[in-house]
Amino acid sequence: MTVKKTLPEKFFEQAALKQEATAFFYCRPQDNRWVTMSWNRYREEVTTLAAWLSSKGIKRGSKVAMLSSNRPEWIISDLAILSLGAITVPIYPNASTHEIQYILGHSEAEWIMVDKIERVLNLNRQSLRGILSFNKTPEEVAESFDTPVYHYAAAVHDSIPPIKGPAAMQPDEIATIIYTS
């Protein structure tokens, strides 16, 4: 009998096995320099962000939208969400305001993570419990929002103890809701 594993389980196995090996390379936009992230650091950011999200009420079955281009924070956030048994709702970064609003409402997303917070300025955010910004700090945008805004860097450096491992899940549970044209 083959034992099926979830993506978060496989991630934690790989991180324990590879530790200081390079998990991925990425180009830092501020200086256009390629840098690496080790499996240990990758796991630390995933587990710390997952604990932070849990402290904000994200739990198994919660839906968290992500409106961002490709970047390390995206893949870290995705695994943090999945590690809690929550559901990622990716939104194409060039989606119109109407499309974003529809996806947020239809998916019943409770949170949204964004790279360009200006993209959510004109949205009806009544159903959102929070916004996690990859770029701007809450102080830079607080006057524009009635929904709490948090900064990614502060979340992954929070003093909340990280989660120990992924939530117990079945491989056939929903992980991601993808909207297509």
Side-chain angles (χ1 to χ4, degrees), residues 95-126:
S96 70
T97 301
H98 175 75
E99 292 166 326
I100 297 166
Q101 191 72 63
Y102 174 80
I103 292 169
L104 290 175
H106 187 265
S107 70
E108 299 176 342
E110 299 172 32
W111 276 73
I112 188 167
M113 298 179 176
V114 296
D115 59 354
K116 297 175 183 164
I117 200 147
E118 298 80 10
R119 296 293 314 276
V120 296
L121 277 174
N122 297 322
L123 296 176
N124 176 346
R125 299 177 301 276
Q126 290 178 341

Side-chain angles (χ1 to χ4, degrees), residues 101-174:
Q101 191 72 63
Y102 174 80
I103 292 169
L104 290 175
H106 187 265
S107 70
E108 299 176 342
E110 299 172 32
W111 276 73
I112 188 167
M113 298 179 176
V114 296
D115 59 354
K116 297 175 183 164
I117 200 147
E118 298 80 10
R119 296 293 314 276
V120 296
L121 277 174
N122 297 322
L123 296 176
N124 176 346
R125 299 177 301 276
Q126 290 178 341
S127 63
L128 292 175
R129 294 182 21 224
I131 300 167
L132 186 65
S133 171
F134 294 150
N135 291 332
K136 298 213 175 179
T137 64
E139 296 77 26
E140 293 175 287
V141 296
E143 295 174 16
S144 306
F145 288 88
D146 48 358
T147 305
V149 177
Y150 303 92
H151 192 243
Y152 175 88
V156 296
H157 294 103
D158 201 301
S159 60
I160 296 170
I163 65 167
K164 302 286 186 215
M169 297 170 51
Q170 297 302 312
D172 61 349
E173 288 185 60
I174 296 174

Side-chain angles (χ1 to χ4, degrees), residues 1-6 9-10 170-171:
M1 181 173 124
T2 304
V3 176
K4 294 180 181 177
K5 296 190 177 182
T6 64
E9 288 172 327
K10 294 299 285 180
Q170 297 302 312

Side-chain angles (χ1 to χ4, degrees), residues 37 41-53 73 76-77 80 132 134 151-160 162:
M37 182 174 285
R41 182 165 163 234
Y42 189 13
R43 182 185 60 236
E44 287 168 12
E45 288 203 24
V46 166
T47 57
T48 303
L49 182 60
W52 185 88
L53 290 169
E73 295 90 343
I76 291 164
S77 298
L132 186 65
F134 294 150
H151 192 243
Y152 175 88
V156 296
H157 294 103
D158 201 301
S159 60
I160 296 170

